[in-house]
Amino acid sequence: MKPALDVITIGRSSVDLYGQQVGGRLEDMASFSKAVGGCPANIAIGTARLGLKSGLVTRVGDEAMGRFIREQMEREGVSTQGIITDKQRLTALVILGVRDEDSFPLIFYRDNCADMALTEDDIDEGFIASAASIVVTGTHFSRETTAAAQKKAIRIAKAHGRKVVFDVDYRPNLWGLLGHGAGESRYVRSDAVTEHLKPILADCDLIVGTEEELHIAGGSEDTLEAIRAIRAISTATIVCKRGPMGCVVFPDAIPDSLDAGVKGPGFPVEVYNVLGAGDAFLSGFLRGWLKAEPIETCCAYANASGAFAVSRLLCSPEIPTFAELQHFLKAGSRHKALRFDEDINHIHWATTRRPQSDTLMALAIDHRMQLEAMAKEIGAPVERIPDFKVLAVEAAARVANGREGFGMLIDGIYGREALFRAADHPFWIGRPVELPGSRPLDFEGGGSLGAKLVEWPVGHTIKCLCFYHPDDPPEMKERQERDLLRLHDAARRIGRELLVEIIAGKHGELKTDTVAGILQRLYDLGIKPDWWKLEPQRDEAAWHAIGHVITQNDLYCRGIVLLGLEAPENELEAAFTAAAREPQVKGFAVGRTIFNDAARRWLKGEITDEVAVSDMAARFQRLVDAWQRASGRAKAA
């Protein structure tokens, strides 16, 4: 029977905390980025991104960091069947930084950590046998219990005819050879470690390591001699990683020169951070090796994946996806520092962002100016607006009933508590950044845009409304485009999705090609939002023109949601019917059509909370039904 998985990795899993101040000491780091780390965990993610079906066997703590690892694995498509929750131990942590191109300070927090408590009992035969291969790693041979767990996995794999991959992954201080402060050190000669690893080599089908790691495995500081010593024990394919020189592979007899092995193309790039490069490398190699590609192709995948990793800051988040890798191998890059290549960065972002439903039906309650005006008109205190927005969340939750594909637009001014309550539900959440009614575009609150956005939860989408028409004065267009570019850059740098809302019809004629032309202009500037929010169009041709522009410029765009502009429900249903015929339109985000009447009556004190919630829920439900009917008809047609 064909294995369900391609590869299962075994061993370390941690949370990496990367210092964001590049060029400084760890002592001086002020902020950190969080990511999944640990060689096996990184490889599980990397192989999944490159199109393999992967799984992970490890232990994590029964706390937030352990849940983060499990949830991130699920987001990446990695099987979590082998992840055990350890209720007595904490998840391992690693503190890392980039001092310069040669120094990468690192501290392991692994004293009695969860993953080092892995035992033979954690190795499930059925799970191991479900994969075509397993990856065992050096660190987990450093302790008796974890070594026994990996040896059991090897026995099971061999019994079921599966491949065994050994990543030497040598960290001297994790073998107790150096102190806590020497996490950066990659090599200390140790005959004891060499003797410890020798029995492992005979059962391996693939052995991968740097020259120093092969020195420790082979017991010699002469690389060729070390490789020959490994060959005397093992028939495995041996892969020697050589940093900027790429790699050299020895599938059979060992030649007289390192350079006589099998090689693939190298990719000279600027070295930004070497940490995690080996895990990206092995992920790439396995993508080819497990698909029976020629060794030269395996090397190309491996070298390119490693090049991506060294050119970026973090570990697992920087490993490329297969779409990204294919683009790079085909088109290359004009940037030696790959992190500055916007085309590659966009593919990376779009193919690694959090999964989301293809449909989005959202209740918009991010209105500030309109609700302030309403409260003033009827003599109600604006302090009541936040409470009403909480009721809107309850209304949306009743309609969604825990299903995916529903969302809300909520502001942080009057909607702070509503945002907290929305987090209790599986909503897509968008938050506005524009100053209400501003034209030209301005951002709310002044000051640093990026400093504000970094405080947002990672799942919140940035929403920006821009009143933009092609006939606007050149100076206005220039200013609005500059601010949209600034916002796009901020969104990408801090890892938040972006929705750009364009309203053109309020300030000029809306022709068939008006909005399509605006989108093309913004794409030409390099602005590629995850979502567009657009007003109803005058005809079907306008929607198709818009859809064509998106398809030609960004295959990874999530799509369009339709805005309401306070239109009556019957008009919106007609707009839904026209829009649904364009595949790029994925739903709607409507506000005043749903909440206006309830807000007015509730602020006046004419209705109770329950009546307001029921009224909004009923209106939202009718729009959901209308969209689903329109979408269903369009798909049938």
Side-chain angles (χ1 to χ4, degrees):
M1 185 170 63
K2 184 179 179 180
L5 298 176
D6 295 302
V7 59
I8 291 173
T9 65
I10 304 168
R12 279 195 290 144
S13 63
S14 62
V15 172
D16 288 351
L17 298 175
Y18 262 96
Q20 293 180 305
Q21 290 73 51
V22 174
R25 307 181 307 159
L26 278 183
E27 292 89 332
D28 301 320
M29 296 297 174
S31 58
F32 296 83
S33 292
K34 182 181 72 171
V36 170
C39 172
N42 290 341
I43 296 168
I45 288 174
T47 49
R49 287 186 172 186
L50 290 169
L52 297 180
K53 296 177 181 177
S54 65
L56 173 67
V57 174
T58 190
R59 282 195 182 204
V60 297
D62 187 19
E63 22 74 355
M65 296 299 102
R67 289 189 291 275
F68 165 67
I69 290 175
R70 185 183 295 275
E71 290 172 10
Q72 185 60 29
M73 289 296 168
E74 290 170 350
R75 283 189 285 267
E76 297 279 2
V78 176
S79 171
T80 59
Q81 181 180 333
I83 300 180
I84 295 96
T85 298
D86 189 320
K87 295 185 179 296
Q88 279 73 50
R89 297 170 182 84
L90 294 172
T91 304
L93 297 178
V94 185
I95 308 294
L96 316 93
V98 176
R99 179 68 180 85
D100 54 42
E101 63 181 22
D102 299 312
S103 177
F104 307 92
L106 182 157
I107 305 172
F108 290 105
Y109 289 79
R110 300 184 53 80
D111 185 27
N112 197 32
C113 66
D115 68 44
M116 288 305 288
L118 201 69
T119 70
E120 287 185 83
D121 292 340
D122 298 327
I123 305 299
D124 178 78
E125 181 170 0
F127 186 52
I128 296 298
S130 73
S133 67
I134 63 168
V135 175
V136 293
T137 51
T139 299
H140 267 54
F141 287 114
S142 66
R143 302 278 182 87
E144 184 177 342
T145 53
T146 54
Q150 292 202 121
K151 289 175 182 177
K152 179 182 177 182
I154 291 173
R155 291 194 300 271
I156 294 169
K158 301 301 286 186
H160 288 271
R162 308 315 192 200
K163 301 290 186 183
V164 176
V165 179
F166 179 35
D167 185 335
V168 181
D169 182 38
Y170 181 46
R171 297 284 189 173
N173 72 328
L174 298 184
W175 284 81
L177 301 175
L178 295 172
H180 292 307
E184 184 181 355
S185 176
R186 295 302 186 98
Y187 181 74
V188 170
R189 182 165 185 165
S190 170
D191 293 339
V193 173
T194 300
E195 290 301 312
H196 202 84
L197 295 180
K198 271 185 180 179
I200 310 302
L201 304 179
D203 287 326
C204 297
D205 299 283
L206 180 68
I207 297 170
V208 181
T210 62
E211 291 193 54
E212 291 83 359
E213 287 172 336
L214 295 181
H215 293 170
I216 200 70
S220 171
E221 293 184 342
D222 178 284
T223 303
L224 201 58
E225 185 178 323
I227 293 172
R228 288 199 177 108
I230 294 170
R231 175 60 75 237
I233 301 170
S234 174
T235 60
T237 295
I238 303 169
V239 180
C240 178
K241 298 183 288 186
R242 306 184 74 192
M245 293 184 289
C247 66
V248 59
V249 181
F250 305 96
D252 301 304
I254 309 304
D256 294 331
S257 166
L258 273 181
D259 291 328
V262 182
K263 292 179 283 189
F267 304 96
V269 296
E270 178 203 76
V271 175
Y272 192 58
N273 176 23
V274 301
L275 301 174
D279 305 334
F281 174 96
L282 182 51
S283 297
F285 196 91
L286 289 174
R287 174 60 173 84
W289 191 69
L290 292 173
K291 294 287 187 180
E293 299 274 11
I295 293 294
E296 292 83 358
T297 301
C298 300
C299 293
Y301 289 168
N303 291 338
S305 297
F308 276 108
V310 300
S311 188
R312 295 167 172 169
L313 178 62
L314 306 178
C315 289
S316 64
E318 315 295 24
I319 299 176
T321 62
F322 197 55
E324 185 182 1
L325 183 64
Q326 287 179 306
H327 173 88
F328 176 66
L329 291 175
K330 180 180 179 180
S333 174
R334 59 189 178 87
H335 296 274
K336 194 172 181 182
L338 295 182
R339 66 187 181 280
F340 296 136
D341 189 310
E342 292 304 323
D343 290 337
I344 289 175
N345 287 344
H346 179 66
I347 298 172
H348 184 76
W349 162 257
T351 53
T352 60
R353 62 193 170 193
R354 295 187 171 208
Q356 196 169 301
S357 171
D358 288 337
T359 300
L360 177 56
M361 298 171 288
L363 194 165
I365 192 70
D366 58 324
H367 304 69
R368 290 140 287 164
M369 185 174 63
Q370 297 91 337
L371 285 170
E372 287 172 348
M374 182 186 293
K376 182 178 180 180
E377 177 191 339
I378 63 181
V382 295
E383 289 77 14
R384 296 197 68 202
I385 295 175
D387 294 333
F388 180 76
K389 296 199 175 199
V390 172
L391 300 180
V393 173
E394 186 177 341
R398 286 188 187 181
V399 175
N401 195 28
R403 295 174 293 170
E404 292 185 347
F406 290 84
M408 297 198 72
L409 285 169
I410 307 174
D411 65 288
I413 302 299
Y414 293 111
R416 186 169 180 269
E417 184 63 27
L419 285 168
F420 294 156
R421 299 287 64 79
D424 297 334
H425 307 281
F427 284 145
W428 172 93
I429 296 175
R431 292 176 62 174
V433 292
E434 77 279 355
L435 183 67
S438 60
R439 176 173 154 84
L441 172 64
D442 200 1
F443 298 118
E444 195 166 52
S448 169
L449 183 63
K452 293 185 180 69
L453 295 176
V454 78
E455 297 179 355
W456 290 16
V458 293
H460 286 193
T461 295
I462 302 164
K463 170 259 179 184
C464 182
L465 165 59
C466 183
F467 295 98
Y468 184 115
H469 193 277
D471 296 336
D472 288 340
E475 60 274 12
M476 178 179 288
K477 286 197 290 187
E478 182 180 345
R479 174 174 167 177
Q480 299 211 122
E481 290 168 358
R482 183 181 68 243
D483 282 338
L484 285 172
L485 273 167
R486 184 160 65 97
L487 176 62
H488 182 265
D489 179 68
R492 290 296 166 264
R493 285 179 181 272
I494 64 169
R496 302 296 190 275
E497 292 199 25
L498 174 63
L499 179 151
V500 172
E501 178 177 1
I502 297 294
I503 295 180
K506 283 194 173 184
H507 299 279
E509 185 180 359
L510 207 57
K511 300 177 182 177
T512 297
D513 62 351
T514 300
V515 176
I518 294 170
L519 268 56
Q520 184 61 62
R521 170 60 183 166
L522 297 182
Y523 277 128
D524 289 343
L525 292 171
I527 297 169
K528 294 183 177 180
D530 303 272
W531 289 98
W532 294 101
K533 186 182 177 193
L534 304 175
E535 61 204 306
Q537 297 300 300
R538 58 179 293 169
D539 54 36
E540 193 172 324
W543 279 122
H544 288 324
I546 291 168
H548 178 74
V549 167
I550 294 173
T551 302
Q552 291 298 306
N553 288 276
D554 184 11
L555 291 173
Y556 299 102
C557 180
R558 290 201 188 273
I560 303 163
V561 289
L562 195 66
L563 58 90
L565 291 176
E566 205 177 354
E569 288 182 33
N570 63 327
E571 290 184 15
L572 275 181
E573 182 161 6
F576 287 175
T577 299
R581 297 191 184 105
E582 169 48 50
Q584 289 287 357
V585 182
K586 303 299 174 64
F588 64 89
V590 173
R592 283 173 288 173
T593 305
I594 297 171
F595 73 73
N596 230 31
D597 185 60
R600 182 174 294 277
R601 293 162 62 203
W602 185 85
L603 287 170
K604 282 184 176 180
E606 295 176 350
I607 58 173
T608 63
D609 292 358
E610 175 56 33
V611 172
V613 170
S614 297
D615 183 81
M616 288 187 284
R619 294 172 187 267
F620 187 28
Q621 183 66 64
R622 288 196 292 272
L623 290 183
V624 167
D625 294 341
W627 172 257
Q628 291 177 335
R629 284 194 300 270
S631 180
R633 288 193 297 266
K635 288 177 182 177

PDB file of all heavy atoms in Angstrom, residues 58 100 175 212 291 594:
ATOM      1  N   THR A  58       7.341  14.682  18.022  1.00  0.00           N
ATOM      2  CA  THR A  58       8.041  15.498  19.018  1.00  0.00           C
ATOM      3  C   THR A  58       7.159  15.619  20.247  1.00  0.00           C
ATOM      4  O   THR A  58       6.039  15.089  20.279  1.00  0.00           O
ATOM      5  CB  THR A  58       8.369  16.887  18.449  1.00  0.00           C
ATOM      6  OG1 THR A  58       9.245  17.585  19.351  1.00  0.00           O
ATOM      7  CG2 THR A  58       7.113  17.721  18.260  1.00  0.00           C
ATOM      8  N   ASP A 100      26.611  40.048  12.899  1.00  0.00           N
ATOM      9  CA  ASP A 100      27.179  40.456  11.614  1.00  0.00           C
ATOM     10  C   ASP A 100      27.145  39.241  10.713  1.00  0.00           C
ATOM     11  O   ASP A 100      26.534  38.221  11.058  1.00  0.00           O
ATOM     12  CB  ASP A 100      28.598  41.026  11.764  1.00  0.00           C
ATOM     13  CG  ASP A 100      29.540  40.081  12.490  1.00  0.00           C
ATOM     14  OD1 ASP A 100      29.499  38.862  12.202  1.00  0.00           O
ATOM     15  OD2 ASP A 100      30.314  40.541  13.341  1.00  0.00           O
ATOM     16  N   TRP A 175      25.268  18.360  23.269  1.00  0.00           N
ATOM     17  CA  TRP A 175      25.879  17.092  23.687  1.00  0.00           C
ATOM     18  C   TRP A 175      26.636  17.272  25.010  1.00  0.00           C
ATOM     19  O   TRP A 175      27.351  16.373  25.455  1.00  0.00           O
ATOM     20  CB  TRP A 175      26.838  16.583  22.616  1.00  0.00           C
ATOM     21  CG  TRP A 175      26.155  15.983  21.427  1.00  0.00           C
ATOM     22  CD1 TRP A 175      25.611  16.627  20.357  1.00  0.00           C
ATOM     23  CD2 TRP A 175      25.934  14.591  21.181  1.00  0.00           C
ATOM     24  NE1 TRP A 175      25.066  15.748  19.463  1.00  0.00           N
ATOM     25  CE2 TRP A 175      25.250  14.478  19.941  1.00  0.00           C
ATOM     26  CE3 TRP A 175      26.247  13.411  21.875  1.00  0.00           C
ATOM     27  CZ2 TRP A 175      24.872  13.243  19.397  1.00  0.00           C
ATOM     28  CZ3 TRP A 175      25.883  12.191  21.324  1.00  0.00           C
ATOM     29  CH2 TRP A 175      25.197  12.110  20.104  1.00  0.00           C
ATOM     30  N   GLU A 212      31.927  19.900   8.735  1.00  0.00           N
ATOM     31  CA  GLU A 212      32.214  19.673  10.153  1.00  0.00           C
ATOM     32  C   GLU A 212      31.345  18.566  10.723  1.00  0.00           C
ATOM     33  O   GLU A 212      31.793  17.759  11.553  1.00  0.00           O
ATOM     34  CB  GLU A 212      32.013  20.967  10.949  1.00  0.00           C
ATOM     35  CG  GLU A 212      33.019  22.060  10.664  1.00  0.00           C
ATOM     36  CD  GLU A 212      32.664  22.876   9.422  1.00  0.00           C
ATOM     37  OE1 GLU A 212      31.631  22.568   8.779  1.00  0.00           O
ATOM     38  OE2 GLU A 212      33.416  23.805   9.090  1.00  0.00           O
ATOM     39  N   LYS A 291      10.977  12.288  -4.625  1.00  0.00           N
ATOM     40  CA  LYS A 291      10.219  12.238  -5.877  1.00  0.00           C
ATOM     41  C   LYS A 291      11.040  11.580  -6.991  1.00  0.00           C
ATOM     42  O   LYS A 291      10.672  11.651  -8.162  1.00  0.00           O
ATOM     43  CB  LYS A 291       9.820  13.659  -6.309  1.00  0.00           C
ATOM     44  CG  LYS A 291       8.835  14.354  -5.377  1.00  0.00           C
ATOM     45  CD  LYS A 291       7.443  13.774  -5.502  1.00  0.00           C
ATOM     46  CE  LYS A 291       6.432  14.595  -4.704  1.00  0.00           C
ATOM     47  NZ  LYS A 291       5.064  14.032  -4.811  1.00  0.00           N
ATOM     48  N   ILE A 594     -27.299  46.959   6.951  1.00  0.00           N
ATOM     49  CA  ILE A 594     -27.618  46.015   8.019  1.00  0.00           C
ATOM     50  C   ILE A 594     -27.906  46.716   9.341  1.00  0.00           C
ATOM     51  O   ILE A 594     -28.885  46.397  10.029  1.00  0.00           O
ATOM     52  CB  ILE A 594     -26.454  45.013   8.198  1.00  0.00           C
ATOM     53  CG1 ILE A 594     -26.267  44.185   6.917  1.00  0.00           C
ATOM     54  CG2 ILE A 594     -26.683  44.104   9.400  1.00  0.00           C
ATOM     55  CD1 ILE A 594     -25.016  43.323   6.910  1.00  0.00           C
TER      56      ILE A 594
END
